[in-house]
Amino acid sequence: KQYCPNNEKRSSPYISPINATDFNNFPPVVCLSAEFDPLVEHSKLLIQKLNKSNIHVINQHYSNFVHGFFENFFLPKCREKALYRVQE
């Protein structure tokens, strides 16, 4: 709801890639997930779908972290590592 207030558009694969039925034109994906993230199961499912479609996925899972840790400036080392993974 935060990213897309329009209910009808939320199911679009452009808004929520997990809803895609065809991954052939997807670019390589970097997926960062946190152990205590309400979306972690969605991340796992998306990664499975991408792998089945032979899309290159870099997956980095962070144990003992919560959703949004990437933007938490109080975790400088973890944040720096995550930023580096995205830049690769």
Side-chain angles (χ1 to χ4, degrees):
K1 293 179 183 180
Q2 244 181 339
Y3 302 108
C4 183
N6 184 317
N7 250 351
E8 293 172 12
K9 291 183 180 179
R10 269 190 229 143
S11 62
S12 165
Y14 294 108
I15 301 297
S16 185
I18 199 166
N19 292 327
T21 55
D22 180 6
F23 293 94
N24 289 326
N25 293 317
F26 266 58
V29 173
V30 175
C31 182
L32 304 178
S33 60
E35 182 176 9
F36 302 111
D37 186 334
L39 301 174
V40 72
E41 294 304 317
H42 287 242
S43 297
K44 291 176 184 177
L45 181 58
L46 178 59
I47 290 166
Q48 285 178 342
K49 288 182 173 187
L50 292 167
N51 284 332
K52 285 181 182 177
S53 297
N54 295 317
I55 303 299
H56 180 69
V57 178
I58 295 173
N59 178 35
Q60 183 68 52
H61 181 76
Y62 293 87
S63 298
N64 299 315
F65 285 94
V66 297
H67 181 84
F69 79 94
F70 189 73
E71 297 172 350
N72 189 333
F73 293 98
F74 298 105
L75 302 169
K77 287 185 180 183
C78 180
R79 185 174 187 275
E80 184 178 320
K81 287 179 184 178
L83 283 170
Y84 180 76
R85 287 298 289 190
V86 171
Q87 293 172 9
E88 289 180 332

